[in-house]
Amino acid sequence: MRTIQIIDSHTAGEPTRVIMSGFPDLPGGSLAQRRELFRSSYDHWRSAIACEPRGSDTMVGALLLEPTDPRCCAGVIFFNNVGYLGMCGHGTIGLARTLAHVGRIQPGEHLVETPVGQVGVTLHADGRVSIGNVESYRYRAGVSVAVPGHGTIRGDIAWGGNWFFITEQTPAPLDISHRAELSLYTIAVQQALLAAGIRGEDEGVIDHVEISGVAPDGSGARNFVMCPGGAYDRSPCGTGTSAKIACLAADGELAEGQRWVQQGILGSVFEGSYRNGQRGVMPTITGQAWITGTSQLLIEQDDPLAWGIGGGNP
Ligand code: PYC
């Protein structure tokens, strides 16, 4: 029997499962190197934790690790039902809330190491968390892709810690009641980008598709973000909001320091702003997470689904 200690939270509706202990040792090296070791040797642990029957398509796991830089309070590798994320905005907010819950951080400024760089984390006294994300930038503007059943879709390709295709074209209002239609559409866009060989810089796979628009009641900017693995983000997506802010800045539509309020598909909100970066923008994204459970996952040796539905085997 294997035992894994976890703390679950949700950030604006999107779950984060922090792995506190019980995971095999991932020795030394940068977070990017340790993510490769995780991927090559322990991928069945990812599916055991994130996939059904213990997890779900929406679950984002956060493996807590010792940082290589002693100035950082933690290292983290984010993963989900199909693979690994570069950065994760809602997950970093959930991680900060979790570290505060167990008394490992206090209100104030902290640094967290991820496979794509260090991010700043400010834990506010009222429980909100601001993340100083990695530099975000628009890579290509106005890219067209032919999407079967939907015609030509135009959008921007931007980096916010993950690769995004951001379009304003939507088949339905950005309302949760249209989630099925919005999901089918954004998955079709994801597949069309892949099939057309349209990628981010350095051949980066564009695994997030973001519809950017307004809330049906006119209350502000709202998005719908499809993540890799077929589940839409219940939160406004921290890396997606960063990528959007980079595009707004590139278009001269958002000034340095100006506040951007981003609703997700549930109407829950992240606030963002940016400082100018070398290439793009340095976004700050603020949101709040709540603890939903502390528990142990058990993996029984004779369980035929020990390593998760759709997962690999040791
Ligand atoms: O908040 O950056 C984010 C995120 C990525 C995937 C799910 N959430």
Side-chain angles (χ1 to χ4, degrees):
M1 174 93 80
R2 291 182 166 94
T3 304
I4 307 166
Q5 301 285 346
I6 57 159
I7 300 184
D8 282 342
S9 61
H10 80 86
T11 307
E14 182 78 347
T16 306
R17 172 165 287 175
V18 180
I19 317 311
M20 304 297 293
S21 62
F23 197 90
D25 207 24
L26 292 183
S30 69
L31 267 287
Q33 287 165 331
R34 280 184 273 173
R35 181 176 60 172
E36 282 323 298
L37 183 60
F38 188 167
R39 194 197 304 272
S40 60
S41 303
Y42 301 103
D43 194 59
H44 50 294
W45 283 79
R46 176 193 57 73
S47 50
I49 294 165
C51 294
E52 297 177 15
R54 296 180 195 81
S56 74
D57 288 358
T58 60
M59 183 59 73
V60 172
L63 177 61
L64 188 59
L65 292 165
E66 280 302 314
T68 56
D69 183 336
R71 292 175 307 157
C72 297
C73 67
V76 64
I77 298 173
F78 292 109
F79 57 94
N80 73 357
N81 57 327
V82 291
Y84 300 84
L85 299 168
M87 227 303 274
C88 182
H90 93 268
T92 305
I93 294 170
L95 172 68
R97 176 69 184 87
T98 298
L99 293 175
H101 179 72
V102 296
R104 277 184 53 168
I105 61 169
Q106 308 298 325
E109 295 192 4
H110 308 276
L111 285 172
V112 170
E113 221 168 76
T114 79
V116 293
Q118 289 185 1
V119 294
V121 168
T122 304
L123 177 63
H124 301 282
D126 63 4
R128 288 174 314 127
V129 175
S130 296
I131 59 171
N133 196 9
V134 295
E135 181 155 19
S136 302
Y137 58 94
R138 179 162 70 186
Y139 173 55
R140 287 171 67 192
V143 175
S144 293
V145 59
V147 182
H150 296 281
T152 299
I153 307 298
R154 266 171 76 85
D156 292 352
I157 298 173
W159 173 255
N162 295 298
W163 282 109
F164 286 81
F165 182 81
I166 306 178
T167 181
E168 293 181 357
Q169 286 169 255
T170 183
L174 298 183
D175 183 88
I176 190 65
S177 61
H178 295 283
R179 61 188 177 282
E181 197 176 346
L182 296 168
S183 295
L184 287 174
Y185 166 70
T186 45
I187 289 170
V189 174
Q190 257 173 357
Q191 288 170 348
L193 290 165
L194 259 185
I198 299 173
R199 295 192 169 231
E201 199 171 30
D202 297 329
E203 292 301 301
V205 174
I206 303 169
D207 52 7
H208 290 73
V209 172
E210 177 169 344
I211 307 175
S212 177
V214 289
D217 64 2
S219 57
R222 183 175 282 194
N223 68 23
F224 178 88
V225 177
M226 178 52 64
C227 302
Y232 62 90
D233 197 331
R234 274 64 170 165
S235 84
C237 192
T239 51
T241 301
S242 300
K244 174 68 187 174
I245 285 176
C247 294
L248 289 165
D251 285 331
E253 290 176 13
L254 190 73
E256 190 175 16
Q258 197 182 337
R259 182 166 161 264
W260 175 256
V261 181
Q262 181 66 64
Q263 294 180 19
I265 195 64
L266 300 178
S268 56
V269 164
F270 286 166
E271 281 186 27
S273 62
Y274 74 89
R275 282 184 296 110
N276 287 322
Q278 293 195 324
R279 174 172 192 187
V281 300
M282 304 300 298
T284 299
I285 306 292
T286 301
Q288 191 158 1
W290 288 267
I291 301 292
T292 54
T294 66
S295 57
Q296 296 182 340
L297 302 179
L298 303 180
I299 303 180
E300 292 196 285
Q301 233 161 13
D302 64 347
D303 177 353
L305 294 174
W307 299 102
I309 297 174
N313 278 313

